[in-house]
Amino acid sequence: KTANNLGVAVADVSGAYINLLAAAKGTALEGQGVREVFESIVGALSGLGKSGAEIDQALGAIVQMITLTKVQSEELKEQLGTALPGSLQIAADALHVTTGQLIQMMESGKLITNDFLPLFARQVRTHFGSSKEPVQGLAADMARLRNEYELTLQKLGEAGGNEATTTLMRGVASATSVAGAAVVFLGKSLGNLTANLTNNQRYMEDRKSTRL
């Protein structure tokens, strides 16, 4: 249910989520704290249409922060920042400091992960918008569809479904992923075509008015 609300495929985030739970075990983030961090980061990335690989990269950076107990520039600026635009500024806003002051805090080892992540997660929700409604968008819808297929496959296995049926369902799921990518490409192509036609029309109208 959480994955569907966030608009991500369970298969894409389950491994990273397990690593996140393991890293937070025994820390002040264990339990509700780490779940809120996960939901804030993943919800924002899903809303931006980020891929499973990018979400995994961002969560990997969070795991590193927890493991190291202190936030370092590499994880925040490079790993997390590559996946989540504006991470450095969001972090500075969360702490009510400038980005320069934030960098100094990281360089001096004064930015403690357990203190930082809850504030950062809250600021991410503020920056990208927080809603109890499921994340919307084509990527999110495709992820939910993929989750439904995986759940169907699981139920077939539990019910003793034969290998041919299971293989067929996996083929349909794969085809759906390809179709989703095709829809995105087609949408972008149509958008570019419409923009070009509009520009050409304006150009012709300008030339016509100039002649008059």
Side-chain angles (χ1 to χ4, degrees), residues 6 8 12-21 23 34-43 45 52-67 75 79-80 83-84 117:
L6 296 175
V8 294
D12 287 340
V13 299
S14 58
Y17 184 55
I18 291 172
N19 290 338
L20 194 60
L21 292 178
V34 75
R35 283 193 293 272
E36 290 180 357
V37 171
F38 173 82
E39 291 178 7
S40 295
I41 301 298
V42 174
L45 291 170
E54 289 172 310
I55 293 175
D56 186 70
Q57 175 184 337
L59 293 177
I62 299 296
V63 169
Q64 281 289 94
M65 291 179 190
I66 297 174
T67 302
E75 283 74 39
Q79 296 181 34
L80 183 58
L84 187 65
L117 282 181

Side-chain angles (χ1 to χ4, degrees), residues 14-212:
S14 58
Y17 184 55
I18 291 172
N19 290 338
L20 194 60
L21 292 178
K25 189 173 181 61
T27 73
L29 294 169
E30 184 176 5
Q32 184 63 25
V34 75
R35 283 193 293 272
E36 290 180 357
V37 171
F38 173 82
E39 291 178 7
S40 295
I41 301 298
V42 174
L45 291 170
S46 176
L48 292 171
K50 297 294 184 175
S51 67
E54 289 172 310
I55 293 175
D56 186 70
Q57 175 184 337
L59 293 177
I62 299 296
V63 169
Q64 281 289 94
M65 291 179 190
I66 297 174
T67 302
L68 295 172
T69 72
K70 295 179 182 179
V71 181
Q72 297 183 356
S73 181
E74 180 181 352
E75 283 74 39
L76 181 60
K77 291 176 61 179
E78 298 179 20
Q79 296 181 34
L80 183 58
T82 300
L84 187 65
S87 290
L88 187 66
Q89 185 62 59
I90 294 171
D93 292 342
L95 299 172
H96 303 290
V97 298
T98 66
T99 54
Q101 291 171 324
L102 174 62
I103 291 173
Q104 288 180 351
M105 291 173 67
M106 289 188 289
E107 290 177 348
S108 62
K110 294 181 179 179
L111 192 53
I112 307 302
T113 302
N114 287 348
D115 299 330
F116 168 74
L117 282 181
L119 298 174
F120 181 71
R122 194 176 303 124
Q123 190 63 34
V124 166
R125 290 194 295 271
T126 300
H127 185 84
F128 291 101
S130 176
S131 174
K132 294 182 179 180
E133 298 299 318
V135 173
Q136 301 300 316
L138 177 61
D141 290 338
M142 293 302 297
R144 292 187 187 98
L145 185 58
R146 183 178 168 189
N147 288 339
E148 290 302 318
Y149 275 122
E150 292 295 333
L151 181 60
T152 301
L153 289 173
Q154 180 181 344
K155 290 181 177 179
L156 280 172
E158 292 173 352
N162 61 47
E163 184 177 349
T165 303
T166 303
T167 301
L168 174 62
M169 290 298 293
R170 290 196 182 279
V172 173
S174 177
T176 302
S177 298
V178 173
V183 169
V184 173
F185 175 77
L186 178 60
K188 290 181 179 179
S189 298
L190 289 175
N192 291 335
L193 177 61
T194 301
N196 288 335
L197 289 174
T198 300
N199 290 335
N200 287 337
Q201 182 178 1
R202 288 175 180 171
Y203 174 73
M204 295 301 294
E205 290 175 350
D206 289 342
R207 289 195 62 185
K208 183 177 180 180
S209 62
T210 301
R211 289 175 180 177
L212 294 175

